[in-house]
Amino acid sequence: MILTVTLNAALDITYRLPRLRPHGTNRVTEVSERPGGKGLNVARVLASLGHRTVATGFAGGGTGEALRALLADTGVTDALVPVGGASRRTVAVVDEAGGDTTQLNEPGPTVSPAEWDVFLGTYRELLDGARAVALCGSLPPGVPVDVYARLTRAARTAGVPVLLDTSGEPLRRGLAARPDLAKPNADELAALTGSTEPLRAARDARRRGAHAVAASLGPDGMLAVTADGAWQAAPPQRIAGNPTGAGDSAVAGLLSGLVEGLPWPERLSRAVALSAATVRAPAAGEFDVATYEELLTRVVVTDHPSAA
């Protein structure tokens, strides 16, 4: 099975409206709710691809109950740890006229030391039998900033490959624990390294500890820098829609490719096609299989073997 970790799980709410009017009254035409937070989005996509997936992290309060009820219908095994505080909500407001999305993210519940200890025990048990683990997203209040470094070391001790997808100080510290793959976006990579040139920044991130770096480049696709070479994959054209969850779909593509033993160009093609299909979908973190398969045949991969 594949294990995903979402320490700051959320109830994702998507509002769609014909046109967003700032400072005025907006009539919402469609509302959808999904279990969210990066790792849960990854888990749902992995389940859609046919992989047995277990999701852990924290969930609490009425929001936590709602997201767990929705998660039960996705094929993902729920191993979330209860907390006393209420899980957060994330709201995506989709402007259909402009094609833009406005995102509102709550901070999440405060996690107590006792709740954290319960999670650590659960995590270590779940590593037994996991083929890979994804450590994803922001940290709720009360969780140590070096948590991803700790979880990475525990997974590596258990012989489980680790994908790290976070930002800021948790990313910097997590890289030092040598994850198998880090998946920042271009802005996160620039903030980490000080370089706005993706190839140079990805190489810098590898030197900081990651065995491989796959950087999301938004409409330009994804760049991977590994010990064996570097590749960039791009969608066939600019994709308009709701980008919420697109990066998480890319993570699912990379993670599924890892456990299936696919070569890097195929992993990147899958990640970019899943990401683009998610942008096109009406609800956050969803994708249409036919759209994904059609895009997969048209992703363009460029080889840069000398850049690793």
Side-chain angles (χ1 to χ4, degrees):
M1 63 89 171
I2 299 175
L3 176 63
T4 71
V5 175
T6 313
L7 298 177
N8 211 3
L11 180 65
D12 280 348
I13 304 168
T14 301
Y15 292 149
R16 302 186 71 87
L17 59 161
R19 182 183 298 277
L20 178 62
R21 303 181 188 279
H23 315 298
T25 299
N26 290 271
R27 303 285 181 186
V28 176
T29 56
E30 182 182 338
V31 180
S32 61
E33 294 184 343
R34 299 289 186 276
K38 281 182 172 293
L40 292 186
N41 290 337
V42 172
R44 290 192 291 113
V45 175
L46 286 169
S48 297
L49 294 173
H51 288 275
R52 189 168 80 85
T53 310
V54 177
T56 190
F58 298 107
T63 311
E65 291 177 5
L67 75 88
R68 296 183 84 160
L70 292 167
L71 187 64
D73 296 328
T74 65
V76 175
T77 299
D78 179 354
L80 295 167
V81 173
V83 291
S87 296
R88 65 189 179 127
R89 294 164 294 184
T90 63
V91 179
V93 182
V94 181
D95 181 343
E96 294 180 336
D100 295 325
T101 300
T102 299
Q103 191 78 18
L104 305 173
N105 294 341
E106 296 179 355
T110 298
V111 176
S112 71
E115 291 165 341
W116 175 245
D117 287 343
V118 172
F119 166 78
L120 281 179
T122 300
Y123 175 72
R124 292 191 179 105
E125 289 178 4
L126 290 170
L127 285 175
D128 185 18
R131 299 177 65 191
V133 58
L135 308 175
C136 303
S138 63
L139 304 182
V143 171
V145 72
D146 66 344
V147 60
Y148 285 135
R150 299 188 198 181
L151 299 183
T152 296
R153 293 188 190 101
R156 290 181 59 79
T157 298
V160 179
V162 180
L163 184 154
L164 177 63
D165 182 15
T166 188
S167 61
E169 189 66 10
L171 173 61
R172 188 184 69 80
R173 298 201 186 195
L175 288 177
R178 301 187 60 77
D180 295 85
L181 174 61
K183 206 289 298 173
N185 62 33
D187 290 340
E188 292 162 350
L189 195 58
L192 172 73
T193 65
S195 174
T196 57
E197 201 288 305
L199 185 57
R200 179 180 302 166
R203 295 176 69 184
D204 186 351
R206 276 200 72 234
R207 286 192 291 269
R208 292 167 185 257
H211 291 276
V213 175
S216 294
L217 305 179
D220 294 324
M222 177 169 283
L223 169 71
V225 176
T226 78
D228 300 318
W231 300 264
Q232 183 168 342
Q237 72 268 344
R238 187 178 182 89
I239 307 297
N242 180 5
T244 305
D248 305 327
S249 291
V251 169
L254 294 170
L255 202 58
S256 62
L258 185 157
V259 300
E260 293 172 27
L262 297 182
W264 267 104
E266 292 184 33
R267 296 188 203 181
L268 284 179
S269 293
R270 179 181 291 184
V272 168
L274 281 169
S275 179
T278 301
V279 171
R280 281 189 177 177
E286 301 292 325
F287 74 95
D288 175 72
V289 173
T291 300
Y292 156 64
E293 292 176 346
E294 187 270 333
L295 288 167
L296 183 61
T297 65
R298 298 195 292 132
V299 172
V300 178
V301 181
T302 304
D303 186 359
H304 301 289
S306 65

